[in-house]
Amino acid sequence: MGLLTIGTFAKASRLSPKALRLYDELGLLTPARVDPVSGYRLYALEQLDQARLVAWLRRLGMPLARIQQVCALESAAAAQEIRAFWAQVEADTAARRDLASFLIDHLSWKDPAMSPTTEPLGIRYAALSDSGLVRGSNQDTAYADSRLLAVADGYGSAGAPAGAAAIDVLRRLEIDRIPAGDLLNVLEDAIEQAKQAVNGVAGPGPSPEETGTTLTAMLWTGSQLALVHIGDSRVHLLRDGELFQITHDHTMVQSMVDEGRLTPEEAASHPQRSLLLRALGQGADGSPDMRLHDARQGDRYLLCSDGLSTVVPTDEIRRVLSGIRDPEQAVLELIALANGSGGPDNVSCVVADVVALQQ
């Protein structure tokens, strides 16, 4: 068997001799032979494919420990593992992109009141929560006023008060008086206070982790809506007749869709589709998604719990939002659709329209 010196093998594999020595020490790429006299590492031609795979995975930024796992797998399983890794990279990048956009928006934001050509905007809203047709109690909370739109989907023995406690923290914020550059810190502090409020509701009992809540809210700043999102409630935006989902579910099933392990159709009927990866509650990951939306006159926002989104098709939601002008009537119709589909869960909706204020 012809063997290659470490220098020749390094050139062929696009790995440096230093990297090859490290991978040997880690057991990731062991030489075919080590010369007993000189100590030189010698490699077989058959090792080139694995060495090149290691080089490519390092270029992807994959940690060495995970590369070792990939290299031990059959081709199909290795491809699946690489797909899952890259999906996580893209998710992390998207989260950083959202944060960068948030900061850019705030640092470049100008008070619209300073411009005589800017038409003042406000929101017209309605909120309603219903227990559905199956559940014996309602653990959802829906809230709307001229400054705050929010839906919380509680779970556990004190789910309803947990959701109400989280929303109550946001109700106390005076967003319109907060300098633009401070808004991100204020919202992060508010989420921390909401965590503490939820934990206080859960109490010091033997299983406080069994109580928690999702929280999806939009805070009106006068010309923009600041989004705070944790869990699997959703926000949709109807703009120019098109309906967009502007939140991402924090569920195990959604993460499997992101990684390519499930199709959206499979996720819709998955038995663990309600298993949360993020929530406000003892021991839960309460990291929020936060972003800023510039409001346009004519925009319509829908905030809803999964009691609506899991049973009413998106086309039906769009039909109601497009066809019923009054927010209160739209909310009533959406909840009727959820109950008409069996009402298996509590359902909560907030509909808000961005409108020009009368001067």
Side-chain angles (χ1 to χ4, degrees):
M1 177 178 65
L3 298 179
L4 305 177
T5 65
I6 190 171
T8 302
F9 191 77
K11 289 181 180 179
S13 64
R14 305 293 180 89
L15 290 168
S16 69
K18 180 179 179 181
L20 287 171
R21 287 191 287 270
L22 172 63
Y23 299 159
D24 179 18
E25 293 170 4
L26 295 175
L28 179 60
L29 196 60
T30 303
R33 179 171 175 268
V34 177
D35 189 285
V37 178
S38 66
Y40 284 172
R41 293 169 172 84
L42 301 171
Y43 295 84
L45 283 171
E46 292 79 8
Q47 293 182 282
L48 273 176
D49 284 345
Q50 182 174 354
R52 287 166 176 158
L53 175 61
V54 171
W56 292 329
L57 294 177
R58 287 300 289 160
R59 289 182 65 184
L60 282 181
M62 184 179 286
L64 288 174
R66 193 159 183 177
I67 290 176
Q68 197 162 19
Q69 296 173 5
V70 171
C71 289
L73 298 172
E74 297 293 333
S75 296
Q80 184 67 30
E81 186 65 21
I82 294 169
R83 184 181 294 111
F85 168 77
W86 191 246
Q88 185 60 53
V89 170
E90 290 184 323
D92 293 342
T93 301
R96 292 195 296 272
R97 182 172 60 245
D98 286 344
L99 177 58
S101 298
F102 191 104
L103 292 171
I104 291 167
D105 285 342
H106 276 291
L107 292 173
S108 61
W109 185 75
K110 305 298 181 185
D111 187 346
M114 298 177 62
S115 172
T117 61
T118 301
E119 188 174 26
L121 298 174
I123 51 176
R124 189 168 57 112
Y125 50 84
L128 187 62
S129 184
D130 188 85
S131 61
L133 303 180
V134 175
R135 300 292 177 88
S137 62
N138 190 356
Q139 294 187 304
D140 280 7
T141 303
Y143 180 84
D145 66 16
S146 60
R147 296 173 48 256
L148 173 66
L149 314 170
V151 168
D153 184 353
Y155 58 87
S157 57
I167 290 177
D168 192 54
V169 171
L170 298 184
R171 287 177 59 188
R172 297 196 294 266
L173 292 179
E174 295 291 339
I175 289 293
D176 54 342
R177 300 178 185 176
I178 297 172
D182 294 339
L183 182 54
L184 181 60
N185 290 335
V186 169
L187 292 177
E188 285 188 332
D189 289 345
I191 292 302
E192 187 59 38
Q193 294 171 27
K195 291 179 188 177
Q196 295 172 10
V198 170
N199 291 341
V201 168
S207 300
E209 71 279 358
E210 293 180 0
T211 290
T213 186
T214 69
L215 179 63
T216 299
M218 303 193 82
L219 296 106
W220 178 247
T221 68
S223 66
Q224 296 171 308
L225 284 158
L227 170 67
V228 177
H229 171 63
I230 306 166
D232 63 350
S233 295
R234 293 180 178 178
V235 179
H236 291 272
L237 166 63
L238 182 72
R239 173 176 285 176
D240 298 328
E242 295 294 325
L243 187 65
F244 307 93
Q245 181 181 329
I246 60 175
T247 52
H248 195 70
D249 293 348
H250 300 146
T251 60
M252 185 195 72
V253 166
Q254 182 60 54
S255 72
M256 294 172 71
V257 172
D258 295 340
E259 293 171 2
R261 300 183 182 186
L262 285 179
T263 66
E265 293 74 22
E266 291 170 335
S269 58
H270 196 281
Q272 293 180 304
R273 61 185 177 276
S274 297
L275 183 60
L276 295 171
L277 295 181
R278 294 195 223 171
L280 295 178
Q282 190 70 33
D285 179 0
S287 305
D289 290 342
M290 292 190 291
R291 61 179 64 94
L292 206 62
H293 283 267
D294 289 318
R296 296 184 190 174
Q297 184 177 345
D299 283 351
R300 169 168 276 192
Y301 289 88
L302 166 68
L303 289 72
C304 65
S305 63
D306 65 340
L308 179 75
S309 58
T310 58
V311 297
V312 178
T314 302
D315 287 346
E316 282 293 284
I317 293 175
R318 179 185 174 280
R319 178 186 62 79
V320 171
L321 294 177
S322 301
I324 301 179
R325 297 188 61 182
D326 179 56
E328 185 171 355
Q329 289 300 316
V331 163
L332 288 169
E333 178 62 19
L334 289 170
I335 289 180
L337 285 174
N339 288 334
S341 298
D345 196 0
N346 306 149
V347 55
S348 293
C349 298
V350 175
V351 172
D353 296 333
V354 179
V355 297
L357 295 177
Q358 293 183 351
Q359 300 186 31

